[in-house]
Amino acid sequence: MLRMILALALMTSLAACSTRLNPFNWFGNDREERVRVSETVTENPRDRRFLVSEVVAFAIDPTAQGVILRAIGRPQTQGHWEADLVEVAREDGALVYEFRVFPPPSPAPAGTPQSREVITGLELSNFALRGIRTITVVGAENRRTISRR
């Protein structure tokens, strides 16, 4: 009984501490950097989506098999659709995604900032994360980065 209590106490202290052994602490909070990004050509020339104007939020949620990346972007107007995080670079422990969306088929009003928000996400396995220290999501006016602790 004493061993079970000690094991339980050790597990809860590990979950509560901020060590690198705790998988929930592998990635920290995001930080924003304001930049002006020129449009880049994606690997697929038929992909005619544009960079979202601003990446509002970026979060990483751990799962048993890896992580889920969630990003919220804000285009200039309402009606943008089919949002995706498109991988553009994977080198030196850094993974970079562009937040791309299709523009509305016809001119649309600007509306409120919240009404323009577009949400997208993707899942990365632990195998795909091997060696990755930072993940960045790029928009036209800013980029958000989350680093491994």
Side-chain angles (χ1 to χ4, degrees), residues 15-71:
C17 68
S18 59
T19 67
R20 293 179 65 189
L21 298 175
N22 185 350
F24 291 105
N25 292 329
W26 285 354
F27 289 98
N29 293 331
D30 69 328
R31 64 180 190 277
E32 179 183 22
E33 179 183 351
R34 288 284 179 185
V35 294
R36 181 57 91 177
V37 177
S38 61
E39 285 287 329
T40 60
V41 177
T42 59
E43 291 180 18
N44 183 356
R46 289 189 230 148
D47 186 359
R48 300 190 333 196
R49 293 179 287 185
F50 296 99
L51 285 174
V52 72
S53 298
E54 179 182 10
V55 180
V56 177
F58 174 44
I60 296 180
D61 299 320
T63 65
Q65 293 82 22
V67 296
I68 296 175
L69 305 181
R70 288 184 299 117

Side-chain angles (χ1 to χ4, degrees), residues 37-120:
V37 177
S38 61
E39 285 287 329
T40 60
V41 177
T42 59
E43 291 180 18
N44 183 356
R46 289 189 230 148
D47 186 359
R48 300 190 333 196
R49 293 179 287 185
F50 296 99
L51 285 174
V52 72
S53 298
E54 179 182 10
V55 180
V56 177
F58 174 44
I60 296 180
D61 299 320
T63 65
Q65 293 82 22
V67 296
I68 296 175
L69 305 181
R70 288 184 299 117
I72 301 174
R74 188 177 294 144
Q76 293 289 336
T77 62
Q78 295 177 348
H80 286 73
W81 53 284
E82 199 171 320
D84 272 324
L85 296 175
V86 178
E87 184 177 327
V88 292
R90 179 187 289 258
E91 55 190 31
D92 300 329
L95 188 55
V96 180
Y97 288 97
E98 289 181 341
F99 194 133
R100 295 199 165 264
V101 292
F102 275 116
S106 61
T112 64
Q114 293 82 6
S115 69
R116 298 190 318 250
E117 289 181 356
V118 180
I119 302 171
T120 189

